[in-house]
PDB file of all heavy atoms in Angstrom:
ATOM      1  N   ASP A 915      -5.580  -0.271  -7.750  1.00 82.00           N
ATOM      2  CA  ASP A 915      -4.830  -1.496  -7.400  1.00 82.00           C
ATOM      3  C   ASP A 915      -4.348  -2.151  -8.664  1.00 82.00           C
ATOM      4  O   ASP A 915      -4.609  -1.689  -9.776  1.00 82.00           O
ATOM      5  CB  ASP A 915      -5.689  -2.456  -6.553  1.00 82.00           C
ATOM      6  CG  ASP A 915      -6.864  -3.039  -7.329  1.00 82.00           C
ATOM      7  OD1 ASP A 915      -6.729  -3.327  -8.532  1.00 82.00           O
ATOM      8  OD2 ASP A 915      -7.935  -3.229  -6.719  1.00 82.00           O
ATOM      9  N   ARG A 982       0.425  30.879  30.652  1.00 92.00           N
ATOM     10  CA  ARG A 982       1.613  30.396  31.352  1.00 92.00           C
ATOM     11  C   ARG A 982       2.380  31.567  31.989  1.00 92.00           C
ATOM     12  O   ARG A 982       2.884  31.434  33.123  1.00 92.00           O
ATOM     13  CB  ARG A 982       2.527  29.695  30.386  1.00 92.00           C
ATOM     14  CG  ARG A 982       3.830  29.202  31.014  1.00 92.00           C
ATOM     15  CD  ARG A 982       4.677  28.399  30.052  1.00 92.00           C
ATOM     16  NE  ARG A 982       4.023  27.123  29.727  1.00 92.00           N
ATOM     17  CZ  ARG A 982       4.486  26.267  28.830  1.00 92.00           C
ATOM     18  NH1 ARG A 982       5.605  26.546  28.141  1.00 92.00           N
ATOM     19  NH2 ARG A 982       3.857  25.150  28.585  1.00 92.00           N
ATOM     20  N   PRO A1045      10.280  30.644  51.001  1.00 93.00           N
ATOM     21  CA  PRO A1045       9.044  31.300  51.464  1.00 93.00           C
ATOM     22  C   PRO A1045       9.067  32.766  51.189  1.00 93.00           C
ATOM     23  O   PRO A1045      10.046  33.465  51.411  1.00 93.00           O
ATOM     24  CB  PRO A1045       9.022  30.988  52.964  1.00 93.00           C
ATOM     25  CG  PRO A1045       9.838  29.723  53.104  1.00 93.00           C
ATOM     26  CD  PRO A1045      10.929  29.860  52.072  1.00 93.00           C
ATOM     27  N   ARG A1097      23.446  -0.190  45.493  1.00 92.00           N
ATOM     28  CA  ARG A1097      22.999  -0.586  44.166  1.00 92.00           C
ATOM     29  C   ARG A1097      24.054  -1.518  43.587  1.00 92.00           C
ATOM     30  O   ARG A1097      25.261  -1.230  43.629  1.00 92.00           O
ATOM     31  CB  ARG A1097      22.781   0.596  43.260  1.00 92.00           C
ATOM     32  CG  ARG A1097      22.155   0.198  41.903  1.00 92.00           C
ATOM     33  CD  ARG A1097      22.048   1.373  40.978  1.00 92.00           C
ATOM     34  NE  ARG A1097      23.317   1.781  40.411  1.00 92.00           N
ATOM     35  CZ  ARG A1097      23.471   2.756  39.525  1.00 92.00           C
ATOM     36  NH1 ARG A1097      22.424   3.487  39.168  1.00 92.00           N
ATOM     37  NH2 ARG A1097      24.632   3.065  39.028  1.00 92.00           N
ATOM     38  N   GLN A1190      28.825  21.392  31.650  1.00 93.00           N
ATOM     39  CA  GLN A1190      29.408  20.569  32.690  1.00 93.00           C
ATOM     40  C   GLN A1190      30.915  20.734  32.626  1.00 93.00           C
ATOM     41  O   GLN A1190      31.528  20.486  31.541  1.00 93.00           O
ATOM     42  CB  GLN A1190      29.012  19.097  32.527  1.00 93.00           C
ATOM     43  CG  GLN A1190      27.543  18.824  32.840  1.00 93.00           C
ATOM     44  CD  GLN A1190      26.614  19.257  31.755  1.00 93.00           C
ATOM     45  OE1 GLN A1190      26.791  18.906  30.580  1.00 93.00           O
ATOM     46  NE2 GLN A1190      25.582  20.015  32.105  1.00 93.00           N
ATOM     47  N   PHE A1203      54.328  -1.669  26.345  1.00 85.00           N
ATOM     48  CA  PHE A1203      55.222  -2.190  25.295  1.00 85.00           C
ATOM     49  C   PHE A1203      54.682  -1.755  23.962  1.00 85.00           C
ATOM     50  O   PHE A1203      53.493  -1.929  23.658  1.00 85.00           O
ATOM     51  CB  PHE A1203      55.292  -3.705  25.359  1.00 85.00           C
ATOM     52  CG  PHE A1203      56.001  -4.298  24.192  1.00 85.00           C
ATOM     53  CD1 PHE A1203      57.418  -4.371  24.156  1.00 85.00           C
ATOM     54  CD2 PHE A1203      55.305  -4.767  23.077  1.00 85.00           C
ATOM     55  CE1 PHE A1203      58.109  -4.860  23.071  1.00 85.00           C
ATOM     56  CE2 PHE A1203      55.972  -5.262  21.961  1.00 85.00           C
ATOM     57  CZ  PHE A1203      57.345  -5.354  21.972  1.00 85.00           C
ATOM     58  N   ASP A1227      16.561  16.438  22.074  1.00 84.00           N
ATOM     59  CA  ASP A1227      15.125  16.351  22.314  1.00 84.00           C
ATOM     60  C   ASP A1227      14.709  15.008  22.906  1.00 84.00           C
ATOM     61  O   ASP A1227      13.548  14.748  23.094  1.00 84.00           O
ATOM     62  CB  ASP A1227      14.348  16.586  21.029  1.00 84.00           C
ATOM     63  CG  ASP A1227      14.685  15.577  19.933  1.00 84.00           C
ATOM     64  OD1 ASP A1227      15.532  14.671  20.184  1.00 84.00           O
ATOM     65  OD2 ASP A1227      14.125  15.654  18.829  1.00 84.00           O
ATOM     66  N   ALA A1245      51.515  17.320  31.150  1.00 97.00           N
ATOM     67  CA  ALA A1245      52.455  17.077  32.251  1.00 97.00           C
ATOM     68  C   ALA A1245      53.746  17.840  31.954  1.00 97.00           C
ATOM     69  O   ALA A1245      53.996  18.237  30.812  1.00 97.00           O
ATOM     70  CB  ALA A1245      52.716  15.568  32.352  1.00 97.00           C
ATOM     71  N   PHE A1275      22.641  11.719  11.228  1.00 95.00           N
ATOM     72  CA  PHE A1275      23.624  11.833  12.297  1.00 95.00           C
ATOM     73  C   PHE A1275      24.972  12.207  11.700  1.00 95.00           C
ATOM     74  O   PHE A1275      25.339  11.803  10.626  1.00 95.00           O
ATOM     75  CB  PHE A1275      23.797  10.472  12.993  1.00 95.00           C
ATOM     76  CG  PHE A1275      22.593  10.053  13.783  1.00 95.00           C
ATOM     77  CD1 PHE A1275      21.662   9.188  13.222  1.00 95.00           C
ATOM     78  CD2 PHE A1275      22.399  10.471  15.081  1.00 95.00           C
ATOM     79  CE1 PHE A1275      20.553   8.782  13.929  1.00 95.00           C
ATOM     80  CE2 PHE A1275      21.291  10.083  15.804  1.00 95.00           C
ATOM     81  CZ  PHE A1275      20.340   9.218  15.239  1.00 95.00           C
ATOM     82  N   SER A1304      34.697   4.729  15.646  1.00 93.00           N
ATOM     83  CA  SER A1304      35.669   5.527  14.944  1.00 93.00           C
ATOM     84  C   SER A1304      35.428   5.412  13.451  1.00 93.00           C
ATOM     85  O   SER A1304      34.501   6.018  12.936  1.00 93.00           O
ATOM     86  CB  SER A1304      37.100   5.077  15.329  1.00 93.00           C
ATOM     87  OG  SER A1304      38.086   5.839  14.672  1.00 93.00           O
ATOM     88  N   LEU A1313      44.282   1.805  12.842  1.00 92.00           N
ATOM     89  CA  LEU A1313      44.755   2.871  11.977  1.00 92.00           C
ATOM     90  C   LEU A1313      45.659   3.804  12.770  1.00 92.00           C
ATOM     91  O   LEU A1313      45.302   4.232  13.877  1.00 92.00           O
ATOM     92  CB  LEU A1313      43.568   3.683  11.432  1.00 92.00           C
ATOM     93  CG  LEU A1313      42.548   2.891  10.595  1.00 92.00           C
ATOM     94  CD1 LEU A1313      41.420   3.788  10.167  1.00 92.00           C
ATOM     95  CD2 LEU A1313      43.209   2.205   9.412  1.00 92.00           C
ATOM     96  N   ALA A1348      22.479   4.065   6.175  1.00 96.00           N
ATOM     97  CA  ALA A1348      23.644   4.077   5.313  1.00 96.00           C
ATOM     98  C   ALA A1348      24.626   5.077   5.876  1.00 96.00           C
ATOM     99  O   ALA A1348      24.216   6.163   6.337  1.00 96.00           O
ATOM    100  CB  ALA A1348      23.233   4.487   3.869  1.00 96.00           C
ATOM    101  N   GLY A1394      37.034  -6.753   1.804  1.00 83.00           N
ATOM    102  CA  GLY A1394      35.848  -7.477   2.201  1.00 83.00           C
ATOM    103  C   GLY A1394      34.950  -6.634   3.069  1.00 83.00           C
ATOM    104  O   GLY A1394      35.084  -5.412   3.178  1.00 83.00           O
TER     105      GLY A1394
END
Side-chain angles (χ1 to χ4, degrees):
D915 66 37
R982 177 176 293 174
R1097 186 183 76 178
Q1190 288 77 51
F1203 171 82
D1227 60 0
F1275 293 95
S1304 181
L1313 300 179

